[in-house]
Amino acid sequence: MLHEAGTGVAGQGKESRTQGDHEMEEPLILCATDLSDEGDRAIDLAIAATRSLGGRLALVHAVGPEAHADDAPAAISAAADTLEDRLSARRERAERGLEAARARVEGSGVAVTARFFEGTTPADAILKAAEELEPALLVLGRRHRDTGFVGKTVDQISRKGPCPMFVAPPDGEAPQSLAGAHWVVGADFSDHALGAIRAARALIAKLGGEVTVVAVVSPSGAEDVPYEEQTPQTALREQSILEQEAELSALAEREVPGAAALTVRSIDRPSVTLDRVASEQGADAIIVGTHGRKGVVRFILGSTAERLLRISRRPVLVVRDCPMVGSPFYAAPETEGPGDAGTDD
């Protein structure tokens, strides 16, 4: 790790609050930026999340061979006679950029620190930062192209990150606040999807808003076929889908009372279908788990979540596991007993 680029003037101490019988620190939100326009959108999303959830924001910038792979501008290259000079010039530019980002966050009224972290790749540096700082949420930006800082970096962190990850799209403006947001949640009845649903429940409990739980299924083939012409296999598949629809409604009502539940029949990829539904619903953001598939529902494979991150024009919150007690994304199920807190189903 390298030196700190600066610190905010408020909120530096570890504050705590109580959630039920559990003492919890004010959440730390970690935002990784490559100082690009896409990185600025990630910072805007991180500001909105910090304002809404409370706590502190830490900006980090990855340094290392891949983090600064682009050649320096011609004016700098011409003035630099050695590799050391060029690296020094790049470092100075990064320091100025990170300090400007820190000042912008501080100007928004959010308590902030800013640091460099070193790694062999950007993902390695960000994961090191997450290991040391133990954030409740990691915020990244996504570029139009699928290589470089975001793209493969987001994919790697979605698999290995220790906390939920919020990804800002390369286009559009970040919300000013998450209060009252409409969240679309992908569901496939796996434990990973359950973690995403419970994260949505925790968010609306804290911030208000609404939730739509969506399952994507392949058509049964019986949709436009008279019952008497259906094959036994088609009839069984249709019955299975109808049972899944009932199960989804029960799951949504149990976990997020008042949430809408949609079972969408589609031949498109689940990522495309979920993004389309979010657009049709006017959702502010999407929440997904990263793995799992059950029954006829074909939703949250790891590759599906990764494709969704690449195509969606909305922020996507990725939850790898059921959040634990103390996380701002934790919500105990209604049926949880005294000894069940913090465990996955």
Side-chain angles (χ1 to χ4, degrees), residues 68-104:
H68 294 288
D70 295 335
D71 290 336
I76 294 178
S77 297
D81 296 327
T82 66
L83 176 61
E84 183 177 351
D85 291 335
R86 290 196 296 271
L87 291 176
S88 177
R90 289 171 179 168
R91 178 63 55 80
E92 290 175 2
R93 286 192 298 132
E95 288 176 348
R96 291 194 298 269
L98 189 58
E99 172 57 24
R102 186 204 62 78
R104 181 163 72 88

Side-chain angles (χ1 to χ4, degrees), residues 69-314:
D70 295 335
D71 290 336
I76 294 178
S77 297
D81 296 327
T82 66
L83 176 61
E84 183 177 351
D85 291 335
R86 290 196 296 271
L87 291 176
S88 177
R90 289 171 179 168
R91 178 63 55 80
E92 290 175 2
R93 286 192 298 132
E95 288 176 348
R96 291 194 298 269
L98 189 58
E99 172 57 24
R102 186 204 62 78
R104 181 163 72 88
V105 174
E106 190 175 84
S108 73
V110 171
V112 60
T113 60
R115 292 179 59 180
F116 293 97
F117 272 81
E118 191 172 53
T120 56
T121 66
D124 178 57
I126 295 165
L127 290 170
K128 285 180 179 178
E131 181 180 2
E132 177 178 323
L133 300 177
E134 299 182 343
L137 176 67
L138 178 58
V139 183
L140 298 173
R142 177 178 65 82
R143 287 187 177 180
H144 288 283
R145 56 191 175 92
D146 289 334
T147 59
F149 177 76
V150 273
K152 65 181 180 181
T153 298
V154 168
D155 290 351
Q156 292 168 13
I157 295 174
S158 70
R159 297 188 187 100
K160 300 177 182 178
C163 62
M165 179 179 70
F166 212 3
V167 180
D171 300 311
E173 296 182 1
Q176 295 297 308
S177 171
L178 303 182
H182 181 184
W183 304 86
V184 161
V185 186
D188 65 353
F189 306 100
S190 69
D191 287 344
H192 298 282
L194 183 60
I197 293 170
R198 289 183 177 173
R201 175 180 167 181
L203 285 167
I204 65 168
K206 293 176 174 68
L207 307 174
E210 58 182 308
V211 171
T212 301
V213 182
V214 179
V216 181
V217 302
S218 299
S220 68
E223 287 79 8
D224 300 316
V225 179
Y227 179 77
E228 60 273 12
E229 297 180 16
Q230 294 178 15
T231 65
Q233 293 83 357
T234 299
L236 285 172
R237 182 167 179 78
E238 177 66 16
Q239 180 61 33
S240 180
I241 290 177
L242 294 176
E243 291 173 356
Q244 292 275 16
E245 289 178 346
E247 186 178 353
L248 182 70
S249 295
L251 173 67
E253 182 60 29
R254 181 179 71 249
E255 294 293 337
V256 192
L262 293 177
T263 299
V264 182
R265 304 179 187 216
S266 175
I267 61 173
D268 286 332
R269 285 182 169 178
S271 54
V272 173
T273 303
L274 184 65
D275 190 52
R276 173 174 56 80
V277 171
S279 179
E280 293 170 351
Q281 294 283 318
D284 297 291
I286 301 171
I287 307 179
V288 292
T290 54
H291 294 282
R293 180 171 62 182
K294 181 178 179 181
V296 298
V297 177
R298 57 182 189 96
F299 185 58
I300 308 297
L301 290 174
S303 59
T304 296
E306 290 159 13
R307 290 191 193 103
L308 182 64
L309 290 172
R310 291 190 177 101
I311 66 173
S312 183
R313 295 174 60 88
R314 288 169 173 74

